[in-house]
Amino acid sequence: MSGAKVLVVDAGGRGNAIAHAFAKSPLVERVYVAPGNAGSSMIEKCEIALSKGGPLKEIPGLVSFAKKEEVGLTFVGPEGYLSEGIVNVFCDEGLDAIGPRREATILEGSKCDTKDFLKAIGVPIPPHRNFSNPQEAIEYAAAFYQENPNKNLVVKADGLAAGKGSIVCSSAEEAISAIERIMVEPRLFGEAGRRVEIEERLEGKELMFFAVTDGRTVHPLESAMDYKRAFGPGEEVAIRLYNRLAGNPNLDHNPNTGGMGGYSPHPWLDGELAERIMETIAVPTIRGLREKTGSEYRGMIYFGLMISEEEGERVPRVLEINVRLGDPEAEVILPRLKTDMYLLSRAILDGKLDSVELKWSPDYCVGVCAISGRVVKPVTSGGVGEERPGYPGPHYTNMPIRGLDNIDPDVLVYHNGTAFGTDVQGNEQLYTTGGRVLTVVGRGASLAAARDRAYENIKRIRFNGIRYRRDIGLTS
Ligand code: AMP
Ligand code: GLY
């Protein structure tokens, strides 16, 4: 009997990790990835989904491909496709797809509506107010600071703003300036800032909590510690140079990124806290969503939480929700999954997640992202090199990548932004295509061992401008 064909829709490292997890299933014959990247075709059983020789990006083309190739199951990674309604379209066409329907993506797409929804169903969140009128928002912020001199606010653009739409404030002036920058033309985050959600700034420790659901049963996934800031401890000089080149007035600001690395399992998420999060947040959110939208949420979800210490108890509250797996978190969580990814996915689609027990390897995985850092563009005939600060700011791409043939077989390299091209001699060559380029994942019986494997190998990789944090798995 021939095995199943799976389609993974994702362009990045998360997509590589999902495809790899499916490829490990003995029930899966072939994994197609769209649009994918160079790494997608370097994993056993995996290839890029092509139509007339080119990669597939649009939903109608993906539907035709899935039908033509008799794909049995499609797994969608990023929020962009999900909020476009890819799962709705696939279902209408009679195709099985994992990921929330468009109605549920509001959880990531509107901070105002999400916080209203969570409050209505009793899921703990920081006290919040929504505004569509900047003057009213400013008056509220001014009054808040007068009445609460020891508290602070966070001002959030309502819509999708590439993860940058929240401004954490430390004074009334900062809050008012944040409201003006987000809401008044020229709006800092464009249309996403037509409305703002203003909430109380909480103290505590942040945690990303991942779960999988078929809309009724919710299982926690193993979790990961993530590293969002671009630079690690001791990199003050690099931070100042970065900000000077990026034109940022605050020279000491360590910028946020989509993620610079991570490791799994998480160091302080214990069973008791996980249970509390499941009971007070994950399960009620999925139930509330089913009651609100009338359909079941089938896929992955993660909650950005603040864990506050209150009278000796750890109280989790929701800061944000994402309707997908994180990147690079997926790259360190999924290699530890021992349950068959295909059987797990079928159970999600069939509403039978209650019959599946998730099994995990006790190993640690440490993932370090190699990014496109600062580069002075090599001077070409008569041209003058322009210095760019690197990811998350402006960066160069199209740099040849070398050294991947030197990676030890036990180390995983997931590609975030790469493509094959040809060099001047006409030989096939791997090039950078994005800010995040590769995530190198080391595995070991201890955090230190996994960390050593990742760093021992990442240093063999070379491209112009390569940079990575040195403290993944060392600091928290
Ligand atoms: P968000 O866009 O909601 O994920 O927020 C981005 C970051 O801002 C979070 O990861 C937190 O570090 C911070 N943040 C957001 N909301 C709050 C809050 N209510 N209290 C404290 N920090 C917050
Ligand atoms: N690494 C954070 C995210 O994927 O949103």
Side-chain angles (χ1 to χ4, degrees):
M1 197 188 88
S2 61
K5 293 178 180 175
V6 171
L7 172 63
V8 175
V9 180
D10 198 307
R14 171 184 48 207
N16 275 208
I18 296 169
H20 187 207
F22 275 115
K24 282 191 268 186
S25 167
L27 302 168
V28 171
E29 176 190 312
R30 187 125 297 272
V31 183
Y32 298 104
V33 190
N37 60 41
S40 318
S41 51
M42 293 164 79
I43 303 166
E44 201 197 340
K45 292 195 212 171
C46 301
E47 64 183 82
I48 292 189
L50 296 173
S51 170
K52 297 182 189 128
L56 281 162
K57 290 200 172 125
E58 306 302 329
I59 295 174
L62 292 167
V63 168
S64 308
F65 180 88
K67 284 186 175 171
K68 184 164 148 273
E69 296 300 331
E70 297 180 336
V71 165
L73 180 163
T74 298
F75 191 109
V76 184
E79 71 277 16
Y81 282 103
L82 294 166
S83 48
E84 266 185 68
I86 187 169
V87 173
N88 305 51
V89 176
F90 269 61
C91 287
D92 291 349
E93 296 284 342
L95 296 164
D96 281 337
I98 294 201
R101 296 173 64 84
R102 184 175 38 220
E103 308 83 272
T105 61
I106 196 77
L107 289 178
E108 186 158 350
S110 167
K111 294 204 186 270
C112 295
D113 294 349
T114 298
K115 289 284 159 63
D116 283 350
F117 162 68
L118 295 175
K119 187 170 175 210
I121 60 170
V123 167
I125 56 168
H128 86 293
R129 290 278 304 272
N130 299 333
F131 295 92
S132 44
N133 178 319
Q135 199 47 43
E136 283 172 18
I138 288 169
E139 280 164 20
Y140 167 77
F144 176 91
Y145 274 92
Q146 262 195 345
E147 285 160 27
N148 305 282
N150 298 321
K151 290 186 176 176
N152 277 294
L153 292 174
V154 183
V155 181
K156 302 186 176 186
D158 178 48
L160 289 176
K164 297 178 193 152
S166 299
I167 302 182
V168 180
C169 307
S170 302
S171 65
E173 294 68 39
E174 274 181 37
I176 290 167
S177 149
I179 294 166
E180 284 170 344
R181 280 183 292 147
I182 292 177
M183 296 190 88
V184 181
E185 299 277 1
R187 295 194 189 98
L188 187 56
F189 309 116
E191 289 301 294
R194 276 200 177 275
R195 284 204 292 169
V196 288
E197 189 256 314
I198 303 183
E199 64 189 40
E200 235 178 86
R201 179 173 166 187
L202 302 178
E203 301 298 328
K205 277 162 94 172
E206 279 191 73
L207 173 72
M208 300 293 175
F209 186 84
F210 296 86
V212 56
T213 178
D214 60 3
R216 289 182 184 267
T217 301
V218 189
H219 284 323
L221 293 177
E222 282 282 303
S223 213
M225 182 80 195
D226 66 334
Y227 293 73
K228 285 203 179 111
R229 301 280 176 184
F231 297 89
E235 295 198 84
E236 291 76 15
V237 175
I239 292 176
R240 291 179 79 81
L241 180 54
Y242 171 91
N243 284 308
R244 209 170 294 126
L245 291 170
N248 295 341
N250 181 354
L251 290 183
D252 296 317
H253 177 68
N254 190 353
N256 249 329
T257 68
M260 294 292 290
Y263 67 88
S264 179
H266 192 280
W268 49 264
L269 173 63
D270 53 49
E272 190 190 315
L273 181 58
E275 212 166 287
R276 182 159 190 162
I277 296 167
M278 289 296 290
E279 264 171 37
T280 61
I281 293 171
V283 171
T285 299
I286 296 301
R287 189 193 313 124
L289 205 58
R290 187 175 70 238
E291 285 161 7
K292 184 181 161 80
T293 64
S295 60
E296 272 142 7
Y297 188 118
R298 295 197 165 137
M300 310 287 175
I301 185 163
Y302 85 79
F303 299 87
L305 307 173
M306 187 68 87
I307 314 295
S308 308
E309 201 69 36
E310 285 168 23
E311 292 163 7
E313 286 220 15
R314 291 171 297 175
V315 180
R317 291 194 182 81
V318 179
L319 304 184
E320 62 155 348
I321 296 182
N322 293 282
V323 295
R324 54 185 173 81
L325 277 175
D327 189 342
E329 291 90 334
E331 288 97 304
V332 290
I333 292 175
L334 289 178
R336 299 186 51 234
L337 179 67
K338 282 168 77 178
T339 306
D340 186 296
M341 183 72 168
Y342 183 75
L343 288 179
L344 170 64
S345 301
R346 282 261 53 108
I348 296 172
L349 288 164
D350 298 342
K352 295 199 171 132
L353 195 56
D354 57 349
S355 66
V356 175
E357 191 195 343
L358 290 184
K359 295 212 176 84
W360 301 93
S361 156
D363 283 357
Y364 279 81
C365 279
V366 172
V368 184
C369 297
I371 58 119
S372 300
R374 181 174 67 89
V375 165
V376 181
K377 176 95 170 155
V379 179
T380 46
S381 51
V384 179
E386 177 208 340
E387 196 169 359
R388 293 189 185 164
Y391 176 77
H395 52 268
Y396 285 103
T397 55
N398 222 18
M399 298 294 183
I401 303 170
R402 305 216 155 77
L404 284 188
D405 43 354
N406 259 329
I407 298 296
D408 294 327
D410 64 314
V411 171
L412 300 165
V413 180
Y414 292 130
H415 294 219
N416 301 89
T418 63
F420 284 114
T422 38
D423 64 14
V424 280
Q425 279 95 37
N427 300 319
E428 187 170 70
Q429 169 65 48
L430 190 66
Y431 292 95
T432 65
T433 59
R436 282 189 292 186
V437 178
L438 301 163
T439 301
V440 178
V441 180
R443 203 177 167 132
S446 68
L447 180 57
R451 191 182 128 74
D452 281 353
R453 297 307 297 135
Y455 278 105
E456 177 61 32
N457 279 269
I458 200 171
K459 67 184 187 205
R460 300 176 196 163
I461 299 174
R462 300 181 310 282
F463 58 84
N464 195 358
I466 186 172
R467 189 178 76 75
Y468 47 88
R469 275 180 64 158
R470 311 278 160 159
D471 62 317
I472 308 294
L474 213 52
T475 59
S476 57

